[in-house]
Amino acid sequence: RLKTVNRLQVILQHLKMSNQTDSTAEVLLEKRGGAGIITLNRPKALNALNLPMIRQIYPQLKTWEQDPETFLIIIKGTGGKAFCAGGDIRAITEAGKVGDKLTQEFFQGEYRLNNAIGTCKKPYVALIDGITMGGGVGLSVHGHFRVATEKTLFAMPETAIGLFPDVGGGYFLPRLSGKVGYYLALTGYRLKGRDVLKAGIATHFVESEKLPALEKDLIALKSPSKENIADLLNSYHKKCTVDQEKKFVLDEHMEKINSLFSANSMEEIVKKLKQDGSPFAMKQLETINKMSPTSLKLTLRQLREGASMSLQEVLRMEYRLSQACMKGQDFYEGVRAVLIDKDQSPKWKPPALEEVSDEFVDNCFKPLGNDDLKL
């Protein structure tokens, strides 16, 4: 029965495709030349990803992946400010408060989409121009190519709202050089422009104003291979001189980041930061002290375990964590303090790292039986 439903969805999707360039739609799906193009179209919400958008992108991505006439997939955002500033956190918060099943469906849909991008057989090019955070990272980082610009602002700020850097963060963050991924995950540090490339998150760097030309050239490629696409991206990348001479923003701190963030527990990281006592270490300590202690512990373990897992295993683990966070209290309190009341003073429960027990953390990672994420 599922097969017929899926087939119907594909047919409906094809029919919808013809009129999906309606500029009011939250996501535009169109085929131009040999390219399937996904445009996130909620500029007022900084292209934040919601469930209806996920439910449109996923089947279309799968259709294009199977289509012999589609040679690459491009994803971008509208409005000039953001590629995608994250998931629609407010909707999830409202749903969680009333026990609505959106808190399951959103994460299931989002992580399945992340997996579809990570396993996509067609070259996938994400134009990460502007703000790229949380859910936006999940839409880009698992694909073959990520093109950053001088306007790119990358961050995984989840520990500040009682969540953890999900969307496969447990897979890609620990694989960045040294302990940079741990640092980004725990502190929510923001990387800008060419630094997104230097950190290993983007694969190419191109001026923002050159993106339309790049897109046109990508669409014009005749039945390109992954190598042809890489060559074109490389040619644009080489011509771009913006901030070329600048050193990586974290260069001077890398030694400290690698030693301070290599501890086995959050308490140990905090202890190391205090012992180090340098202005850099003190600044990190100040930042970490603002984060949800529960989130910090979940995140550190998520990355340590994710370092040796497949993307699928990571997404399953993260789904368990997402559901634990939905049942807890820090997520709702974090969203209240940061996004709703904006008083920036969340009351975390428990308020200290020492009070988050290992037993509690273990429970968050336990399999959910029939409710586990199916990929």
Side-chain angles (χ1 to χ4, degrees), residues 40-51:
L40 308 172
N41 190 34
R42 293 181 74 200
K44 287 197 177 79
L46 299 176
N47 299 324
L49 189 64
N50 61 26
L51 190 56

Side-chain angles (χ1 to χ4, degrees), residues 181-192:
Y182 289 78
Y183 172 68
L184 296 172
L186 296 167
T187 65
Y189 184 81
R190 297 171 165 209
L191 289 170
K192 297 184 181 103

